[in-house]
């Protein structure tokens, strides 16, 4: 039996990686989330980028109530799930802003915040959403992060603290994979820039450190002699591509 030419194998691996980095309809983030909704996935690197999709709050049917407490529980839960499906994993600040806008309120007092926390916790207890710190999302949204361009969001919402760690980790992995090798600061800076954030401040570096450490621990990135390099796991798939 003849041995495989190492050069041919390397070319095949590079071709496979190139194919993944230029996704067709079966390789988009939405397609993989649909797949992982019915299958067990723990991480999947996606390679398409989309603008941040904001919820149309006028379609949430929460207006017309004098008090936030007067909104029926079913209507509030339905609106919360719609926001999660559109923007998840979504930070509590953004989730609260969407619900306030939909209901016609300008600020969230303690009673409003308490009710949002209550309904969020109830949906989590029912297994309809997963709660991870201040983020709410479907299971597949955490397993399959989508890279979003946050540039058009208002400054109050376009904050690194509002970006889930999984999305930051994805941006770091893709940035390094597309470059081949990068030093840490360049990888962090370029990962932020592709998401619509301007520059790598000290606070931004601190915010990115945990996602970077996890990417290294999980084998999505490896520390090479010249800098960060993509790990083999960055290109793994849970099933053959159709």
């Amino acid at each position: 039996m003849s041995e495989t030419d190492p050069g041919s194998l390397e070319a095949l691996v590079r071709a496979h990686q190139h194919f993944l980095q230029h996704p067709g309809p079966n390789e988009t983030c939405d397609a993989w989330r649909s797949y992982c909704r019915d299958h067990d996935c723990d991480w999947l690197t996606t390679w398409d980028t989309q603008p941040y999709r904001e919820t149309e709050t006028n379609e949430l049917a929460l207006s017309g109530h004098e008090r936030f407490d007067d909104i029926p529980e079913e209507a509030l839960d339905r609106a919360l799930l719609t926001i999660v499906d559109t923007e998840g994993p979504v930070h509590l600040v953004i989730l609260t802003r969407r619900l306030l806008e939909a209901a016609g309120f300008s600020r969230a007092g303690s009673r409003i915040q308490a009710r949002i926390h209550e309904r969020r916790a109830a949906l989590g207890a029912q297994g309809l959403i997963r709660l991870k710190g201040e983020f709410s999302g479907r299971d597949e949204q955490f397993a399959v992060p989508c890279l979003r361009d946050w540039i058009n969001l208002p400054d109050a919402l376009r904050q690194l603290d509002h970006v889930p760690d999984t999305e930051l980790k994805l941006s770091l992995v893709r940035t390094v994979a597309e470059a081949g090798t990068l030093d840490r600061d360049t990888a962090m800076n370029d990962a932020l820039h592709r998401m619509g954030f301007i520059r790598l401040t000290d606070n931004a570096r601190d915010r990115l450190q945990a996602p970077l450490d996890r990417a290294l621990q999980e084998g999505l990135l490896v520390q090479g002699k010249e800098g960060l390099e993509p790990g083999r796991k960055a290109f793994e798939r849970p099933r053959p591509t159709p």
Side-chain angles (χ1 to χ4, degrees), residues 12-146:
L12 182 61
V13 170
R14 289 181 177 176
H16 171 68
Q17 293 177 355
H18 176 82
F19 171 75
L20 294 180
Q21 290 173 315
H22 298 79
N26 292 319
E27 280 288 330
T28 64
C29 187
D30 288 341
W32 277 113
R33 281 185 173 178
S34 179
Y35 172 84
C36 290
R37 196 171 297 128
D38 301 316
H39 299 79
D40 186 22
C41 303
D42 59 0
W43 171 268
L44 199 145
T45 307
T46 57
W47 300 93
D48 56 319
T49 304
Q50 53 192 248
Y52 188 104
R53 291 198 295 258
E54 299 188 65
T55 306
E56 294 289 342
T57 55
N58 59 350
E59 297 179 0
L60 295 180
L62 296 184
S63 61
H65 300 281
E66 186 174 339
R67 300 183 310 154
F68 197 85
D69 284 347
D70 294 335
I71 300 173
E73 186 176 285
E74 296 79 5
L76 189 56
D77 288 357
R78 188 163 53 247
L80 198 153
L81 290 173
T82 298
I83 297 166
V84 167
D85 286 336
T86 305
E87 304 184 54
V90 59
H91 193 276
L92 182 58
V93 168
I94 298 178
L95 177 66
T96 300
R97 172 72 69 90
R98 303 298 184 217
L99 293 172
L100 287 177
E101 290 177 354
F105 293 87
S106 59
R107 61 182 296 273
S110 59
R111 287 179 62 88
I112 291 178
Q113 292 181 41
R115 187 154 194 237
I116 293 173
H117 281 286
E118 174 198 349
R119 297 318 310 156
R120 178 175 174 261
L123 293 172
Q126 296 171 44
L128 295 175
I129 60 174
R130 189 202 300 181
L131 307 182
K132 197 169 183 179
E134 294 198 314
F135 290 92
S136 308
R138 304 283 192 176
D139 285 340
E140 66 272 12
Q141 291 175 330
F142 285 105
V144 185
C146 291

Side-chain angles (χ1 to χ4, degrees), residues 162-218:
H162 299 166
V163 184
D165 277 14
T166 49
E167 190 171 349
L168 293 173
K169 184 169 65 173
L170 172 65
S171 190
L172 287 163
V173 171
R174 281 183 48 178
T175 298
V176 172
E178 292 170 13
T181 303
L182 285 177
D183 65 80
R184 292 191 177 216
D185 272 7
T186 302
M188 287 183 172
N189 182 76
D190 293 356
L192 288 179
H193 189 267
R194 74 188 305 153
M195 299 176 68
F197 296 93
I198 304 303
R199 61 193 177 88
L200 182 63
T201 62
D202 289 341
N203 287 338
R205 184 181 288 104
D206 291 342
R207 178 72 182 89
L208 284 169
Q209 192 59 56
L212 176 57
D213 289 344
R214 279 192 286 275
L216 288 164
Q217 292 165 6
E218 296 166 6

